[in-house]
Amino acid sequence: MLQSVTTAAHERASHPQRVAVVGAGYVGLTAAACLAELGHDVTCVEKDPARLASLWSGGVPILEEGLPELVAASAAAGRLRFTADIAEALEGARVALLCVGTPPRADGEPDLGQLAEAARRAALVASGDLVLVVKSTVPPGSCEAIELLAAEEAPEGVTVSIASNPEFLREGRAVFDFFNPDRLVIGAENAALAEVVAELYPEAWPKLICDRRSAELVKYAANTFLAVKISFANEVAGLCEALGADAGRVLAGVGLDGRIGAQFLSPGPGFGGSCLPKDLSGLIAVAESLEQPALVARAARAVNARVLDRLVSTLDSVLGGLEGRKIAVLGLAFKAGTDDTRQSPGLALASQLSRKGAEVRAHDPLAVVAAQGFEQVGDPYEAAEGADALVVATGWPSYRDLRPDRLGRLMCQAVVLDAAGVLDEGAFAGAGLDFYGVGRGQPTSFHPVIWRPFEWSLASGAALAAAGSPR
């Protein structure tokens, strides 16, 4: 299994070296383990005592396919160590990767406090020239600010250079993505500095070399475009629901255009997680600081916010109200393959239904949440027992195996809303359940837009007749 998510055995870094990685979160721990697999000697800095103790004991505190095996193998080979002492990590290293959090503030702008502190600590203890590589997602211009900060803290005679090397890792697929990159973006102010960063990776991997501000903006722009695609798909889905068209077929036809592509072009409950919402808001904040309107990005965020309301409205309509209704919500993680519930559409849906008076019972194969006004159970069938409606909010593969006949026997009313698009509509409809999907017209929907062409035609015909024109 490890070989399936890592690189081929002959693909190694061209110049193995000592590397420090600051931060053992999703990005940092993945980067540290993968760089060790590439042949580097890596020390990962983690200041949280509980997380560090877990790493020392062989634990991996995040859920990523292949990562536990990779950490264990690299640690056993002596190429991966963990410490709370940044000076220890930097000993003998000329490169340090900064992989700390940049969470959004209330106004959408990223909080760079952790990044500034990590850069300051590294510069203070540097015993020789050091390259700090910023992998965290930051607004354009951040590397320049960090360079000034580091210059103030570095010992006399020590030069601290800053490069940008943003990550493009999907949660749940981070190890695979690291070893199979579409591109490595390296932002540096001179060719020598860019080469230092490039040497961390195999020569054959695709690399885009640019200035630091461009590299920083690539990450924001890429995630914003993905958010735009998802919101576009959900806007088309809304039109399909109003028209009685099939969003699955419409968007499949759109995605077959080679200029567009099918990825991220599926209707669903909207985007969530730690990247797309944060980076979308970050780009909007950057645009505002430059007095740019960022109209497309704002529209994507607005459409995403409306998707949840549309799901709630559908349930309200088909159930004849939500007050006192028992609703099962399957899926609390923001996507399948992770236990991350940050900005999760499923979690938001369960919470909103509960606030509107519904009795919600939720299930997720991995994610566990604190009390949110609803009950979480350990089995999807338990969630469905006595329910008036069942909603699939996260596309876990295990939900594809749900038996419609068993659900029909357990549920009080046979209403199923597949917001994630994972269920077999024919099987559920064939079992007598009332099946609803995102982007399909409801059976009771009236679609008045179809009459407009006829009205136009009749009006034109009447005008022609009045003018005495032949027909």
Side-chain angles (χ1 to χ4, degrees), residues 8 77 223 229 245 257 268-269 314:
N223 275 355
K229 288 191 75 173
D257 189 321
T314 296

Side-chain angles (χ1 to χ4, degrees), residues 409-447:
R409 291 193 298 270
L410 288 171
M411 295 174 65
C412 180
Q413 291 192 54
V415 173
V416 174
L417 171 57
D418 182 13
V422 298
L423 302 181
D424 183 338
E425 178 179 359
F428 276 76
L433 286 87
D434 295 330
F435 187 92
Y436 302 88
V438 174
R440 300 185 186 93
Q442 297 179 23
T444 56
S445 297
F446 177 63
H447 312 295

Side-chain angles (χ1 to χ4, degrees), residues 194-380:
E195 183 62 23
V196 170
V197 181
E199 286 179 350
L200 295 173
Y201 307 102
E203 291 182 4
W205 287 10
K207 301 177 182 70
L208 172 67
I209 309 298
C210 58
D211 62 277
R212 292 181 298 198
R213 289 193 177 191
S214 294
E216 290 165 332
L217 188 55
V218 165
K219 178 61 183 295
Y220 273 144
N223 275 355
T224 297
F225 189 74
L226 296 178
V228 167
K229 288 191 75 173
I230 294 170
S231 287
F232 173 79
N234 277 319
E235 192 157 65
V236 170
L239 289 175
C240 289
E241 289 175 12
L243 285 166
D246 184 341
R249 306 312 298 166
V250 171
L251 291 167
V254 173
L256 287 171
D257 189 321
R259 300 166 298 175
I260 298 172
Q263 288 192 336
F264 285 78
L265 201 61
S266 300
F271 56 80
S274 63
C275 291
L276 295 193
K278 175 175 72 72
D279 293 351
L280 180 62
S281 294
L283 184 138
I284 292 171
V286 168
E288 283 184 345
S289 71
L290 301 170
E291 298 185 354
Q292 299 293 317
L295 298 178
V296 173
R298 286 181 175 278
R301 187 167 65 179
V303 170
N304 196 59
R306 291 180 58 191
V307 174
L308 179 64
D309 293 336
R310 200 164 75 235
L311 294 175
V312 172
S313 177
T314 296
L315 290 169
D316 190 23
S317 174
V318 299
L319 293 176
L322 296 174
E323 184 72 33
R325 296 293 190 178
K326 296 181 179 179
I327 300 176
V329 175
L330 304 187
L332 296 173
F334 85 92
K335 69 172 185 176
T338 179
D339 60 352
D340 193 348
T341 60
R342 287 175 289 182
Q343 301 290 312
S344 164
L347 179 56
L349 176 63
S351 298
Q352 184 161 324
L353 290 171
S354 179
R355 288 194 298 270
K356 288 185 175 292
E359 297 179 24
V360 177
R361 188 178 290 173
H363 169 267
D364 191 276
L366 291 177
V368 177
V369 300
Q372 299 276 350
F374 58 84
E375 180 184 1
Q376 185 173 356
V377 298
D379 181 82

